[in-house]
Amino acid sequence: MSIKENIHKITTSLPTNVTLVIVTKTHPVEKLMEVYQTGNHIFGENKVQEMCDKYEQLPKNIEWHLIGHLQTNKVKFIAPFVSLIHSIDSLKLLQEINKQAIKNNRIINCLLQVYIAKEETKFGLDFNEAENLLRSDALKELHNIKITGLMGMATNTDNEKQIELEFLSLKQFFEKQKQLETTNIKLETLSMGMSSDYLLAIKSGSNLIRVGSSIFGKRI
Ligand SMILES: *Cc1c(COP(=O)(O)O)cnc(C)c1O
C-alpha cells in the first residue's frame, strides 16, 4: 500500500481524541512531502540535525516533534521552531530549554519521558524521579517551558499482556499527577504507542501515538 493509503487506514480507525505523530526519521524530504499532501502535518524526528535539515526544506506549518534523546548542547538548534519535545529526562535539560526559549521569545511545550520498559536501552525518568521533578521548586522558575504531558515506550516484546501493563502503569501515574496544575504544568498529553503497539496504547489511555514503519514500511 502507498503512504497515503497507510495513513488513511490508521487515521480513520483512530478515536477522535487521539493525535497521530508521523515518525519521519530516516526518510527523505520527498517522502515527507507526500505525507504533507495528505493534510497530516505533525512530524516526529529523533535526531536534531536531521530535524533541522528537514525543517529548512519543508513548509513552515509543519509541527515538529522531537521524540529522541536530546543533549543539552543541541537544544539551541531546535528552540526556534520545535513544537513539542517528548524526551525530557532531567531538570538540567529543562533549564537549557527554558534558556533557549527565552532567547527565542517563546514557550516550549515538553513531555517528561518516563521509563516503563524492562530494557536497559531506553532513556527516561522512573516514576519517583518524574514525580520529584514535577514537584521541584526549581521547575517553578522556568517560565518559558510548559510540561504538557508524559511519554513512555513499552518493552519491545511479543508479550501483549506485559506491554499493556506497562502502558497502564503510566496511564495511572498520569491520572495521579494530573491533579498538580501550576503556571507551567498542565498534563494533557499521554504519548504512548508506536507501529507495533499503538492499538494497545490507545486501549490503555494514550492520546498521542508515534507511528513510522506502519506508514513508510520498515526502515533500512
Ligand atoms: C522510531 C520511533 C517511533 C516509531 O517507531 P515505528 O515502530 O517505526 O512506528 C516512535 N517513537 C520513538 C521514540 C521512536 O524513536
Side-chain angles (χ1 to χ4, degrees), residues 46-59:
N46 69 337
K47 294 205 172 82
V48 165
Q49 183 66 52
E50 187 174 341
M51 187 163 100
C52 292
D53 289 345
K54 288 172 174 172
Y55 167 76
E56 291 298 330
Q57 297 175 61
L58 288 164

Side-chain angles (χ1 to χ4, degrees), residues 23 25 46 67-68 113 151 153 193-196 210-214 217 219:
V23 177
K25 65 187 184 196
N46 69 337
I67 60 172
Q113 182 169 353
M151 184 271 240
M153 289 169 86
M194 17 209 275
S195 292
S196 59
R210 311 174 307 269
V211 178
S213 43
S214 292
R219 284 176 297 275

Side-chain angles (χ1 to χ4, degrees), residues 138-217:
L139 180 63
K140 296 193 180 86
E141 310 292 313
L142 309 179
H143 302 293
N144 285 61
I145 58 114
K146 185 150 193 190
I147 310 286
T148 59
L150 305 174
M151 184 271 240
M153 289 169 86
T155 304
N156 185 6
T157 172
D158 292 332
N159 185 341
E160 296 207 340
K161 197 70 220 161
Q162 183 185 345
I163 295 171
E164 192 174 5
L165 285 173
E166 290 173 1
F167 284 148
L168 285 171
S169 72
L170 187 54
K171 166 68 172 171
Q172 193 182 20
F173 180 76
F174 177 74
E175 289 303 324
K176 186 171 153 222
Q177 301 305 321
K178 246 178 161 175
Q179 297 158 12
L180 182 83
E181 212 181 299
T182 69
T183 48
N184 62 2
I185 304 174
K186 189 168 173 32
L187 303 182
E188 290 176 322
T189 300
L190 185 54
S191 168
M192 307 194 293
M194 17 209 275
S195 292
S196 59
D197 57 19
Y198 73 85
L199 291 173
L200 272 175
I202 293 168
K203 216 173 111 197
S204 311
S206 167
N207 59 19
L208 193 76
I209 59 171
R210 311 174 307 269
V211 178
S213 43
S214 292
I215 291 168
F216 295 101

